[in-house]
Amino acid sequence: MNIVEVNHLKKYYGRHRGVEDVHFTIKQGEVFGFIGPNGAGKSTTIRCALSLIFPTSGKITLFGLDSIKDQVEIAKRVGYLPSEVAYYDNMKVKDLLEYSMSFYGRPDPARLKDLCERMDLDISRKIDDLSLGNKKKVGIVQGLLHRPSLIILDEPTSGLDPLMQQRFFDLIEEENKRGATVLFSSHILSEVKRLSDRIALIKDGRIEDMDQIASLQSNHYKNVQLTADPEALDRFEGSDLIEVKQRFGDQLHFIYRGEINRLLRELARFDVQNLSMEDPSLEELFMDYYERPNNEHVSS
Amino acid sequence: MNTFRHEWRLHGRLLRGWLIAILLTLALFLSFYPAFQDGLDDMVAMMEGFPPEVLRGFGLDIDSFATYSGYLAYIYVFVQLLLGILSIMSGMILVGREKLNRSSDFLFSKPVSRRGLWLAKVAVGLLGLLIVNSLITAVVYGVSGVFSIPTDGAIGSILVSSLLVQLIFFFLGTLIAVLKRRLQTVTSSATAIGFGFYFLLIVARLLEDDQFLRLSLYGLFDTAQVQRQGVDPTNLTIGLGLIILLAGISYRRYVTQDLEV
């Protein structure tokens, strides 16, 4: 069952592009990572899904319900951590969390205590006395208090120290094991790699690619190290199949994008002494997507 | 209901301070009335020495000044100025609280409709105004009881029509809150707007121009006019229409607008 369905979402802020024809689905129990640089459209997509902003066109359904018409029903099942956490400054953390809980029916003090202990959060403090990291902890606790079926996290770890990041990841993994679906946006690739089953790469408001991380890495391009006769390498270096990274005598390091058998047929014409192929790291993949101009990616 | 309670708790802090200031100002002015009555002849003689423009500008009417309602009509302009500023502030703060605190993402992602939020916030504002006006009424009649001052029907008209002015300013405040992208200086904005309309009232009185008087909003139910002639039916219709219009636009914008990050 699809928990999230985003259909041809388009959002413009006046004349400024937010997102353009974004289209994806997330299955129940899946952890879906949304990767992209600042301004790519990650938060816009999330905020449209939560009806914090309204799409210019397109449709979003969560749990099969319309994101605008059924916003209240959807919100009962969603836990949301915004990228920028801000609350009512004059309130104490305890009062804010109680206020947050009041929207979901019966309070659960045991759950509150457990989450606050795990996130090392002092609920007796006033919100305007908290650091950014502590405000983020408040956001995490209020987002998970009601045991949501769908957890939406917008750049969740910014401001958290490494220990708290670790505890946060553990919490999300536990919630996911419990059956919660997770949609989170980030540009921190290590956390995306750790948590996600599947990722979507977004750039300039459009989804560039979407798959399991392993598939994206293996299908996208290959890092190739080739050892061969230098004269043969000279000829091969000029090929439009490859993008040369380094050349040392009889060794050539290049990136190959395209159908793998075509490369092998090409290489079969040479006297190859050694050949190694590796999938790119997520960082390389990310940089490759975002450094290239639009529409230059070659599908395998 | 939880939003109503939450808003009421936060709004109560604002109301308490303003309520004390307004009630003390009113009680202080009203407590001068017996002294004015004792020296009424001197007072009238002094007022007759004023240029007619000054008398008109401040809504001073020599004939009605001697009565409690006439005296109230004069001093209530200043109380109404404070009430106008409080009403604009209430509307701006209540409906714009999430903009002020940048906490829109927190509240609007909760299982509550925007319609429910707007209604809860407006209900808190209206309850606040009702309490303020009830206490003002208690003080006005309380002072008359303590000093055995006779009252007339014009007092009720002044107080009720004042509530209508406050409602106009309250919904104007809610509209400003939804229209402005960022809210930062609520107190100074509300004070500037309140004083701006008050100066319009003075100018309109000097010009004796009914259309201009209506533009000043306070002048729709000008206390001096209400005391002498009662509430003008045309102004009442305009006032009620304005309340509905401002409330309607504010509500529409609140439920349909994109929330700023």
Side-chain angles (χ1 to χ4, degrees), chain B:
Chain B
M1 194 60 193
N2 42 9
T3 309
F4 180 87
R5 268 202 305 270
H6 168 76
E7 291 294 343
W8 180 247
R9 201 160 49 202
L10 297 180
H11 193 55
R13 293 174 198 164
L14 171 80
L15 271 188
R16 272 195 292 274
W18 276 83
L19 196 56
I20 291 167
I22 289 169
L23 292 180
L24 282 179
T25 306
L26 181 66
L28 185 72
F29 276 130
L30 288 179
S31 66
F32 294 153
Y33 180 71
F36 273 121
Q37 257 199 331
D38 292 344
L40 191 61
D41 292 341
D42 295 339
M43 194 68 198
V44 168
M46 189 181 78
M47 283 166 68
E48 280 171 346
F50 288 162
E53 292 81 11
V54 172
L55 294 176
R56 278 208 311 273
F58 286 96
L60 282 165
D61 181 60
I62 295 172
D63 296 333
S64 60
F65 196 71
T67 63
Y68 188 52
S69 62
Y71 178 76
L72 180 72
Y74 168 64
I75 63 158
Y76 209 71
V77 175
F78 304 109
V79 176
Q80 193 143 277
L81 173 63
L82 293 179
L83 288 169
I85 295 170
L86 172 64
S87 303
I88 299 168
M89 274 180 76
S90 298
M92 284 176 80
I93 290 175
L94 280 163
V95 171
R97 193 182 302 288
E98 281 63 42
K99 276 188 189 171
L100 279 164
N101 289 285
R102 293 177 292 118
S103 56
S104 300
D105 276 20
F106 167 76
L107 186 62
F108 288 79
S109 61
K110 298 296 173 205
V112 58
S113 66
R114 292 191 185 194
R115 177 174 171 270
L117 289 175
W118 189 86
L119 287 175
K121 286 166 177 281
V122 166
V124 166
L126 296 183
L127 180 63
L129 290 183
L130 204 64
I131 289 173
V132 170
N133 283 274
S134 300
L135 291 171
I136 284 173
T137 305
V139 168
V140 169
Y141 284 103
V143 169
S144 78
V146 168
F147 295 102
S148 305
I149 305 164
T151 57
D152 55 45
I155 291 176
S157 301
I158 292 169
L159 296 177
V160 171
S161 61
S162 164
L163 181 59
L164 293 175
V165 174
Q166 293 161 52
L167 287 176
I168 294 171
F169 279 118
F170 173 73
F171 285 110
L172 179 65
T174 67
L175 185 62
I176 293 167
V178 293
L179 290 180
K180 278 190 87 172
R181 287 187 68 192
R182 284 189 172 79
L183 284 177
Q184 279 161 340
T185 51
V186 171
T187 309
S188 54
S189 300
T191 307
I193 296 166
F195 269 101
F197 280 109
Y198 176 69
F199 286 122
L200 274 183
L201 172 72
I202 292 175
V203 174
R205 277 171 167 177
L206 284 172
L207 297 174
E208 292 182 308
D209 181 331
D210 277 355
Q211 301 306 324
F212 206 18
L213 202 62
R214 285 174 181 141
L215 269 182
S216 74
L217 299 185
Y218 289 110
L220 274 174
F221 304 101
D222 183 15
T223 51
Q225 211 171 54
V226 169
Q227 193 270 332
R228 285 194 303 271
Q229 300 152 9
V231 175
D232 177 69
T234 310
N235 285 355
L236 180 64
T237 311
I238 294 171
L240 291 175
L242 205 51
I243 290 168
I244 293 167
L245 183 72
L246 291 169
I249 300 171
S250 160
Y251 170 76
R252 185 77 196 140
R253 283 286 298 177
Y254 192 80
V255 297
T256 56
Q257 75 178 173
D258 283 349
L259 301 175
E260 297 279 333
V261 177

Side-chain angles (χ1 to χ4, degrees), chain A residues 21-229:
Chain A
D21 200 31
V22 168
H23 192 89
F24 66 90
T25 59
I26 305 174
K27 290 188 169 53
Q28 185 166 19
E30 202 174 12
V31 180
F32 187 86
F34 214 31
I35 310 179
N38 296 329
K42 304 185 297 291
S43 295
T44 296
T45 306
I46 285 175
R47 288 167 62 78
C48 280
L50 292 162
S51 283
L52 299 172
I53 55 176
F54 298 99
T56 306
S57 64
K59 191 179 177 186
I60 302 175
T61 59
L62 285 87
F63 307 101
L65 301 167
D66 184 274
S67 65
I68 297 170
K69 278 192 290 186
D70 304 309
Q71 172 261 328
V72 174
E73 195 51 44
I74 287 169
K76 287 178 189 168
R77 302 192 232 172
V78 173
Y80 170 52
L81 172 64
S83 58
E84 288 178 29
V85 280
Y87 303 104
Y88 308 98
D89 284 346
N90 289 322
M91 287 178 85
K92 284 186 173 175
V93 174
K94 181 175 179 288
D95 295 331
L96 180 93
L97 293 175
E98 280 173 358
Y99 181 43
S100 177
M101 271 196 294
S102 71
F103 288 99
Y104 302 96
R106 181 180 287 186
D108 188 346
R111 171 83 169 161
L112 174 64
K113 188 167 177 276
D114 175 51
L115 286 172
C116 289
E117 279 177 4
R118 291 179 69 174
M119 293 312 297
D120 197 16
L121 178 64
D122 179 359
I123 61 171
S124 65
R125 294 180 68 185
K126 279 186 96 171
I127 286 169
D128 48 359
D129 294 337
L130 297 180
S131 64
L132 171 66
N134 277 318
K135 281 185 183 167
K136 204 85 187 187
K137 290 179 193 175
V138 176
I140 292 166
V141 173
Q142 66 84 25
L144 299 178
L145 258 176
H146 55 291
R147 294 189 168 85
S149 305
L150 171 63
I151 300 169
I152 299 180
L153 310 161
D154 194 359
E155 296 181 12
T157 55
S158 58
L160 288 182
D161 62 49
L163 175 66
M164 283 305 136
Q165 284 186 21
Q166 185 59 43
R167 288 191 190 172
F168 168 70
F169 291 144
D170 292 344
L171 262 174
I172 295 300
E173 280 167 349
E174 277 175 34
E175 291 297 309
N176 182 234
K177 276 181 195 154
R178 182 178 59 76
T181 306
V182 182
L183 161 62
F184 81 106
S185 83
S186 180
H187 47 231
I188 302 169
L189 300 175
S190 55
E191 67 187 35
V192 174
K193 199 169 182 177
R194 170 174 173 170
L195 289 174
S196 304
D197 299 319
R198 211 155 54 93
I199 60 169
L201 291 137
I202 187 166
K203 179 190 175 188
D204 296 334
R206 288 176 187 275
I207 290 197
E208 291 280 311
D209 214 337
M210 181 166 51
D211 209 335
Q212 292 178 339
I213 292 178
S215 302
L216 273 179
Q217 286 175 306
S218 60
N219 293 340
H220 184 67
Y221 64 77
K222 301 288 180 193
N223 275 323
V224 184
Q225 299 267 6
L226 173 68
T227 308
D229 172 50

